[in-house]
Amino acid sequence: MEIRALLQPWRRLAPDADDSPRADGDDAAPSDELRARREEIARMEERALREVESLEVQRADLERRQQALGDRERNVDQQGEELKRAKRVQRRELERISGLSSTQARQLLIADVEQEARHQAALRLQEIEQETKREAERRARNILSVAMQRLAASHASDNTTRLVELPGDEMKGRIIGRDGRNIRALEKLTGVDVIIDETPSAVVLSSFDGVRREIARITLERLIADGRINPALIEETYRQASREIDERIVEEGERGALEARVHGLDPELIQLLGRLRFRTSYGQNVLDHLVE
């Protein structure tokens, strides 16, 4: 506005085309050209004035904004200082109420957090341990089931059966006897299953009791060697084999006690030790394992 006011007097002092003395026909064209140039200059001045006024408005707006920003910065700084003072006051009040300094309170908080973290870690470790045990048991059951399916049959067969060789297949008929009386008498006395199948020149004795299986083997081998097989001779041979096995049991028990350097055992314990000679566990003789 000030610039417009400064330029207005110049425009008033500028000579007007109507006030100039009229020229002749020869001066008409230069006068029109001068008038046009003056009008163009006037328009340029108007545009310059509008631009200057716009710049002035923008400058004033920028000054107001800068002042507002400065005020806000001062307010923020002032509020920050007030917050710091309030925090210090609040800390002093808390220290007064609790009777603890900020360092002590920080240590108590750290100890509490550490204890809680240890408790949570212990619970997590317990969960992981229980989960690991369950997974280990599940895998162990799977492994055992697979091992039992693959190996139990052959292991049981090796440790519960005994093969007795025959001089010929005709001996099978003698062992069976008329109407099966011989084989029934043998099975009843020994408590062992006598299996006669298509195996050539052989009979299988099956029992979980190693002592009975050994008595049946001795009895059957002696009957085969004698050639005479009947219920009375089977009973007599069985008694002889039983006495021999009883004596052998005592001998094995005494030998095991001697090797283990254990003296003064009761006769019943000696007999129990001797019976272990006819038992196996995981492919190893129980008496030998016990002595070791």
Side-chain angles (χ1 to χ4, degrees):
M1 297 298 291
E2 295 176 357
I3 296 174
R4 183 181 293 274
L6 292 174
L7 293 176
Q8 289 298 331
W10 178 83
R11 297 184 62 186
R12 288 194 300 269
L13 295 175
D16 195 352
D18 295 336
D19 297 335
S20 60
R22 292 196 177 267
D24 296 333
D26 296 336
D27 297 333
S31 299
D32 294 337
E33 183 180 356
L34 181 59
R35 187 182 300 109
R37 293 188 64 181
R38 287 179 177 177
E39 292 176 357
E40 181 65 23
I41 291 172
R43 287 192 296 271
M44 292 174 64
E45 289 177 354
E46 289 292 335
R47 286 197 298 270
L49 288 173
R50 287 194 296 269
E51 291 178 359
V52 170
E53 290 177 355
S54 176
L55 290 174
E56 286 292 332
V57 172
Q58 292 178 5
R59 183 179 63 81
D61 187 32
L62 288 175
E63 289 179 354
R64 286 194 301 272
R65 290 186 179 184
Q66 187 175 3
Q67 185 177 2
L69 288 175
D71 295 339
R72 292 182 64 181
E73 288 180 358
R74 287 190 293 274
N75 291 335
V76 169
D77 294 338
Q78 184 179 1
Q79 291 177 1
E81 292 295 330
E82 292 178 356
L83 287 175
K84 290 180 180 178
R85 288 194 297 271
K87 191 173 182 180
R88 288 194 293 270
V89 172
Q90 184 181 12
R91 181 178 297 176
R92 287 195 296 271
E93 186 67 18
L94 288 175
E95 291 177 357
R96 184 185 65 80
I97 295 173
S98 63
L100 298 174
S101 63
S102 60
T103 303
Q104 294 174 342
R106 188 182 301 108
Q107 292 177 353
L108 289 176
L109 179 61
I110 293 174
D112 187 25
V113 172
E114 183 178 359
Q115 183 178 3
E116 181 66 20
R118 290 180 181 273
H119 179 65
Q120 294 295 332
L123 292 177
R124 182 57 180 165
L125 287 175
Q126 185 177 4
E127 292 178 359
I128 294 174
E129 183 178 359
Q130 292 177 356
E131 184 178 356
T132 304
K133 287 182 178 180
R134 289 193 297 268
E135 183 67 17
E137 290 178 358
R138 184 184 66 81
R139 293 190 178 185
R141 291 193 186 97
N142 292 335
I143 293 173
L144 287 176
S145 63
V146 172
M148 291 172 64
Q149 291 175 1
R150 293 182 178 179
L151 304 175
S154 61
H155 179 76
S157 176
D158 294 338
N159 291 275
T160 61
T161 60
R162 189 66 181 269
L163 187 67
V164 178
E165 298 289 342
L166 301 178
D169 289 340
E170 67 276 1
M171 186 60 67
K172 293 181 179 181
R174 295 183 184 182
I175 295 174
I176 295 173
R178 181 179 297 177
D179 298 329
R181 61 179 182 175
N182 292 341
I183 192 171
R184 285 199 300 271
L186 182 61
E187 290 179 341
K188 183 177 180 181
L189 288 171
T190 60
V192 174
D193 294 331
V194 181
I195 301 173
I196 300 176
D197 52 15
E198 297 179 356
T199 304
S201 302
V203 174
V204 178
L205 303 177
S206 177
S207 175
F208 289 99
D209 192 334
V211 175
R212 290 185 178 184
R213 193 168 60 247
E214 185 66 16
I215 293 173
R217 181 190 67 81
I218 296 174
T219 301
L220 186 58
E221 287 181 350
R222 291 183 178 179
L223 290 172
I224 293 171
D226 187 275
R228 297 174 300 164
I229 302 177
N230 55 69
L233 187 59
I234 290 173
E235 184 176 357
E236 182 181 354
T237 307
Y238 168 75
R239 290 176 181 174
Q240 294 176 359
S242 297
R243 286 193 296 270
E244 292 180 6
I245 291 298
D246 290 340
E247 294 175 358
R248 184 179 173 187
I249 286 174
V250 174
E251 292 176 358
E252 292 290 343
E254 292 176 349
R255 185 184 64 81
L258 183 61
E259 292 180 358
R261 298 180 181 180
V262 179
H263 306 285
L265 291 179
D266 188 87
E268 293 185 0
L269 290 177
I270 294 293
Q271 189 174 6
L272 288 175
L273 286 175
R275 293 179 68 88
L276 295 179
R277 169 58 62 187
F278 303 96
R279 297 188 63 180
T280 59
S281 177
Y282 297 100
Q284 184 178 12
N285 186 269
V286 177
L287 180 59
D288 293 339
H289 180 67
L290 182 62
V291 171
E292 292 176 0

